[in-house]
Amino acid sequence: MDSVNMLVSGIINREGKRFARVSFVRGRDTAEGIVPDGIVEHAEGFSDAEVAKLERYLRDNRGEIMERARQVNPIKNWLGL
């Protein structure tokens, strides 16, 4: 795969479940998934094999990604601080 950027949301609490949303961007190609489930829910421009690799990445790195999500401060990000 070419260079892929990953964006991670803050922790989301919904219906008693804690998760984070993850977006992968490669030029115009995008994929959106969730952790800790490690599932890509939507992908455009990535092949099925690439989506499988992204899902494996999400599962293998779910702990680190969730920790990164815990550090996201949406108010600071919104204010640009």
Side-chain angles (χ1 to χ4, degrees):
M1 272 192 272
D2 293 330
S3 178
V4 177
N5 292 317
M6 182 178 79
L7 307 167
V8 179
S9 74
I11 297 292
I12 300 166
N13 292 297
R14 187 174 297 146
E15 299 174 7
K17 184 177 178 183
R18 293 172 53 88
F19 62 96
R21 297 191 94 25
V22 181
S23 297
F24 296 97
V25 180
R26 177 183 64 196
R28 293 183 180 200
D29 303 335
T30 60
E32 299 171 5
I34 56 171
V35 288
D37 295 349
I39 298 170
V40 171
E41 297 178 315
H42 174 76
E44 189 172 316
F46 286 95
S47 70
D48 290 343
E50 290 172 323
V51 170
K53 288 180 184 181
L54 293 173
E55 288 182 329
R56 187 171 39 249
Y57 177 83
L58 291 174
R59 286 190 304 274
D60 291 349
N61 296 283
R62 71 184 79 191
E64 295 169 33
I65 296 169
M66 289 296 286
E67 181 57 35
R68 186 169 164 185
R70 282 184 198 90
Q71 296 173 8
V72 172
N73 183 328
I75 300 298
K76 275 188 167 182
N77 289 344
W78 183 69
L79 294 173
L81 302 175

